[in-house]
Coordinates of all heavy atoms in Angstrom, one line a residue:
F1 N 93.0 -38.8 -225.1 CA 94.4 -38.3 -225.1 C 94.4 -36.9 -224.5 O 93.2 -36.3 -224.4 CB 95.0 -38.3 -226.5 CG 95.3 -39.7 -227.0 CD1 94.2 -40.4 -227.5 CD2 96.5 -40.1 -227.1 CE1 94.5 -41.7 -228.1 CE2 96.8 -41.4 -227.6 CZ 95.7 -42.1 -228.1
R2 N 95.5 -36.3 -224.1 CA 95.5 -35.0 -223.7 C 96.8 -34.3 -224.1 O 97.8 -34.9 -224.4 CB 95.3 -34.9 -222.1 CG 96.5 -35.6 -221.5 CD 96.2 -35.5 -219.8 NE 97.3 -36.0 -219.1 CZ 97.2 -36.3 -217.8 NH1 96.1 -36.1 -217.1 NH2 98.3 -36.7 -217.2
Q3 N 96.7 -33.0 -224.2 CA 97.9 -32.2 -224.6 C 97.9 -30.9 -223.8 O 97.0 -30.1 -223.7 CB 97.8 -31.8 -226.1 CG 99.1 -31.2 -226.6 CD 99.2 -31.2 -228.1 OE1 98.2 -31.3 -228.7 NE2 100.4 -31.0 -228.6
A4 N 99.0 -30.9 -222.9 CA 99.2 -29.7 -222.2 C 100.0 -28.7 -222.9 O 100.7 -29.0 -223.9 CB 100.0 -30.1 -220.9
P5 N 100.0 -27.4 -222.6 CA 100.7 -26.4 -223.4 C 102.2 -26.6 -223.4 O 102.7 -27.0 -222.4 CB 100.4 -25.1 -222.5 CG 99.2 -25.3 -221.8 CD 99.1 -26.8 -221.5
G6 N 102.7 -26.6 -224.6 CA 104.1 -26.9 -224.7 C 104.5 -28.3 -224.7 O 105.7 -28.7 -224.8
K7 N 103.6 -29.2 -224.6 CA 103.9 -30.6 -224.6 C 103.3 -31.4 -225.7 O 102.4 -30.9 -226.3 CB 103.4 -31.2 -223.2 CG 104.1 -30.6 -222.0 CD 103.8 -31.3 -220.8 CE 104.6 -30.8 -219.5 NZ 104.3 -31.6 -218.2
Q8 N 103.7 -32.6 -225.9 CA 103.2 -33.5 -226.9 C 101.9 -34.1 -226.3 O 101.7 -34.3 -225.2 CB 104.1 -34.5 -227.2 CG 105.4 -34.1 -228.0 CD 106.2 -35.2 -228.6 OE1 106.2 -36.3 -228.1 NE2 106.9 -35.0 -229.7
R9 N 101.1 -34.5 -227.3 CA 99.9 -35.1 -226.9 C 100.2 -36.6 -226.3 O 101.1 -37.2 -226.8 CB 99.0 -35.4 -228.2 CG 97.6 -35.9 -227.9 CD 96.7 -35.9 -229.2 NE 96.5 -34.5 -229.6 CZ 95.7 -34.3 -230.6 NH1 94.9 -35.1 -231.2 NH2 95.6 -32.9 -231.1
E10 N 99.6 -36.9 -225.2 CA 99.8 -38.0 -224.5 C 98.6 -38.9 -224.3 O 97.5 -38.4 -224.2 CB 100.5 -37.9 -223.1 CG 99.7 -37.1 -222.1 CD 100.3 -37.0 -220.9 OE1 101.4 -37.7 -220.6 OE2 99.7 -36.4 -219.9
F11 N 98.8 -40.2 -224.3 CA 97.8 -41.1 -224.0 C 97.3 -41.1 -222.5 O 98.0 -40.9 -221.7 CB 98.2 -42.6 -224.3 CG 97.4 -43.7 -223.9 CD1 96.2 -43.9 -224.6 CD2 97.5 -44.4 -222.8 CE1 95.3 -45.0 -224.3 CE2 96.7 -45.4 -222.4 CZ 95.6 -45.7 -223.2
V12 N 95.9 -41.1 -222.4 CA 95.3 -41.1 -221.2 C 94.6 -42.5 -220.8 O 94.9 -43.1 -219.8 CB 94.1 -40.0 -221.0 CG1 93.5 -40.2 -219.7 CG2 94.8 -38.6 -221.2
G13 N 93.8 -43.0 -221.7 CA 93.2 -44.3 -221.5 C 92.5 -44.7 -222.7 O 92.2 -43.9 -223.7
A14 N 92.1 -46.0 -222.8 CA 91.4 -46.5 -224.0 C 90.5 -47.6 -223.5 O 90.7 -48.2 -222.5 CB 92.4 -47.1 -224.9
M15 N 89.5 -47.8 -224.4 CA 88.5 -48.9 -224.1 C 88.3 -49.7 -225.4 O 88.1 -49.0 -226.5 CB 87.2 -48.4 -223.6 CG 86.1 -49.3 -223.5 SD 84.7 -48.7 -222.6 CE 85.1 -48.8 -220.9
S16 N 88.2 -51.0 -225.3 CA 87.8 -51.8 -226.4 C 86.5 -51.5 -227.0 O 85.7 -51.1 -226.2 CB 88.0 -53.3 -226.1 OG 87.1 -53.7 -225.1
R17 N 86.2 -52.0 -228.2 CA 84.9 -51.7 -228.7 C 83.9 -52.5 -228.0 O 82.6 -52.2 -227.9 CB 84.9 -51.9 -230.2 CG 84.9 -53.3 -230.7 CD 84.6 -53.4 -232.2 NE 84.6 -54.7 -232.8 CZ 85.5 -55.3 -233.4 NH1 86.7 -54.5 -233.7 NH2 85.4 -56.5 -233.9
S18 N 84.2 -53.7 -227.4 CA 83.3 -54.5 -226.6 C 83.1 -53.8 -225.3 O 82.1 -54.2 -224.6 CB 84.0 -55.8 -226.4 OG 85.2 -55.7 -225.5
G19 N 83.9 -52.9 -224.9 CA 83.7 -52.2 -223.6 C 84.2 -53.0 -222.5 O 84.2 -52.6 -221.3
G20 N 84.8 -54.3 -222.8 CA 85.2 -55.1 -221.7 C 86.6 -54.9 -221.2 O 87.0 -55.4 -220.1
I21 N 87.4 -54.2 -222.0 CA 88.7 -54.0 -221.6 C 89.1 -52.5 -221.6 O 88.7 -51.7 -222.6 CB 89.7 -54.8 -222.6 CG1 89.4 -56.2 -222.5 CG2 91.1 -54.4 -222.3 CD1 90.3 -57.1 -223.5
T22 N 89.7 -52.1 -220.6 CA 90.2 -50.6 -220.5 C 91.7 -50.7 -220.2 O 92.2 -51.6 -219.5 CB 89.4 -49.9 -219.3 OG1 89.5 -50.6 -218.2 CG2 88.0 -49.6 -219.8
Y23 N 92.4 -49.7 -220.6 CA 93.8 -49.6 -220.3 C 94.1 -48.1 -220.1 O 93.6 -47.2 -220.7 CB 94.6 -50.1 -221.5 CG 96.0 -49.9 -221.4 CD1 96.8 -50.7 -220.6 CD2 96.8 -49.0 -222.2 CE1 98.1 -50.6 -220.5 CE2 98.1 -48.9 -222.2 CZ 98.8 -49.6 -221.3 OH 100.2 -49.5 -221.2
Y24 N 94.9 -47.8 -219.0 CA 95.1 -46.5 -218.6 C 96.6 -46.1 -218.4 O 97.5 -47.0 -218.3 CB 94.5 -46.3 -217.2 CG 93.1 -46.3 -217.2 CD1 92.5 -47.5 -216.8 CD2 92.1 -45.3 -217.6 CE1 91.1 -47.7 -216.8 CE2 90.8 -45.4 -217.6 CZ 90.3 -46.7 -217.2 OH 88.9 -46.8 -217.2
A25 N 97.0 -45.0 -218.7 CA 98.4 -44.5 -218.5 C 98.7 -44.5 -217.0 O 97.7 -44.3 -216.2 CB 98.5 -43.0 -219.0
D26 N 99.9 -44.9 -216.6 CA 100.2 -44.8 -215.2 C 99.8 -43.6 -214.4 O 99.5 -43.7 -213.3 CB 101.7 -45.2 -215.1 CG 102.1 -46.7 -215.5 OD1 101.1 -47.5 -215.5 OD2 103.2 -46.9 -215.7
S27 N 100.0 -42.5 -215.2 CA 99.8 -41.2 -214.4 C 98.4 -41.0 -214.0 O 98.1 -40.1 -213.2 CB 100.2 -40.1 -215.4 OG 99.4 -40.2 -216.7
V28 N 97.4 -41.8 -214.6 CA 96.0 -41.5 -214.3 C 95.4 -42.8 -213.7 O 94.2 -42.8 -213.3 CB 95.2 -41.1 -215.5 CG1 95.8 -39.8 -216.1 CG2 95.0 -42.2 -216.5
K29 N 96.1 -43.9 -213.7 CA 95.5 -45.2 -213.2 C 95.0 -45.0 -211.8 O 95.7 -44.5 -210.9 CB 96.6 -46.2 -213.3 CG 96.0 -47.7 -213.3 CD 97.2 -48.7 -213.6 CE 97.7 -48.5 -214.9 NZ 98.8 -49.4 -215.2
G30 N 93.8 -45.5 -211.5 CA 93.2 -45.4 -210.2 C 92.5 -44.1 -210.0 O 91.8 -44.0 -208.9
R31 N 92.7 -43.2 -210.8 CA 92.0 -41.8 -210.7 C 91.0 -41.7 -211.7 O 89.9 -41.0 -211.6 CB 93.0 -40.7 -210.6 CG 93.9 -40.8 -209.5 CD 94.8 -39.5 -209.5 NE 95.7 -39.3 -210.6 CZ 95.6 -38.2 -211.4 NH1 94.7 -37.2 -211.1 NH2 96.3 -38.1 -212.6
F32 N 91.2 -42.1 -213.0 CA 90.4 -41.8 -214.2 C 89.7 -43.2 -214.5 O 90.3 -44.2 -214.4 CB 91.2 -41.4 -215.3 CG 91.8 -39.9 -215.3 CD1 91.8 -39.2 -214.0 CD2 92.3 -39.2 -216.3 CE1 92.2 -38.0 -214.0 CE2 92.8 -38.0 -216.3 CZ 92.7 -37.4 -215.0
T33 N 88.4 -43.1 -215.0 CA 87.7 -44.2 -215.6 C 87.0 -43.9 -216.8 O 86.4 -42.8 -216.9 CB 86.6 -44.6 -214.5 OG1 87.3 -44.9 -213.2 CG2 85.9 -45.9 -214.8
I34 N 87.2 -44.8 -217.7 CA 86.4 -44.6 -219.1 C 85.3 -45.6 -219.0 O 85.4 -46.8 -218.6 CB 87.4 -45.1 -220.1 CG1 88.6 -44.1 -220.3 CG2 86.7 -45.0 -221.4 CD1 89.7 -44.4 -221.3
S35 N 84.2 -45.1 -219.5 CA 83.0 -45.9 -219.8 C 82.4 -45.6 -221.1 O 82.6 -44.5 -221.6 CB 82.0 -45.7 -218.6 OG 81.6 -44.4 -218.5
R36 N 81.6 -46.5 -221.6 CA 80.9 -46.2 -222.9 C 79.5 -46.7 -222.9 O 79.1 -47.6 -222.2 CB 81.7 -46.8 -224.1 CG 81.7 -48.3 -224.1 CD 82.6 -48.8 -225.3 NE 82.1 -48.5 -226.6 CZ 82.9 -48.4 -227.7 NH1 84.1 -48.7 -227.7 NH2 82.3 -48.1 -228.8
D37 N 78.6 -45.9 -223.6 CA 77.3 -46.2 -223.6 C 76.9 -46.4 -225.1 O 76.7 -45.4 -225.9 CB 76.5 -45.2 -223.0 CG 75.0 -45.6 -222.9 OD1 74.4 -46.4 -223.7 OD2 74.2 -44.9 -222.1
N38 N 76.9 -47.6 -225.6 CA 76.7 -47.9 -227.1 C 75.3 -47.3 -227.5 O 75.1 -46.9 -228.7 CB 77.0 -49.2 -227.5 CG 78.4 -49.6 -227.4 OD1 79.3 -48.8 -227.5 ND2 78.8 -50.9 -227.4
A39 N 74.3 -47.4 -226.6 CA 72.9 -47.0 -226.9 C 72.9 -45.4 -227.2 O 72.0 -45.0 -227.9 CB 72.0 -47.5 -225.8
K40 N 73.8 -44.8 -226.4 CA 73.8 -43.3 -226.6 C 75.0 -42.8 -227.4 O 75.0 -41.5 -227.5 CB 73.9 -42.6 -225.2 CG 72.6 -43.0 -224.3 CD 72.8 -42.3 -222.9 CE 71.5 -42.4 -222.1 NZ 71.6 -41.8 -220.8

């Protein structure tokens, strides 16, 4: 999530615990990528 000055916190993106599914806000789709490393 992110919060800009004077604005409410907004969703950026999420990933399932399996790591197989990601979902992004339209404002960042195609520009931002979430990844997870369960070993680390």
Side-chain angles (χ1 to χ4, degrees):
F1 293 78
R2 66 186 182 186
Q3 188 166 17
K7 295 187 177 180
Q8 290 189 333
R9 189 170 299 190
E10 67 171 352
F11 171 75
V12 174
M15 174 175 275
S16 63
R17 70 171 186 258
S18 70
I21 296 177
T22 53
Y23 177 68
Y24 299 94
D26 288 342
S27 59
V28 306
K29 198 173 297 181
R31 301 189 297 121
F32 289 14
T33 303
I34 295 173
S35 60
R36 66 188 292 161
D37 185 337
N38 285 344
K40 295 182 178 180

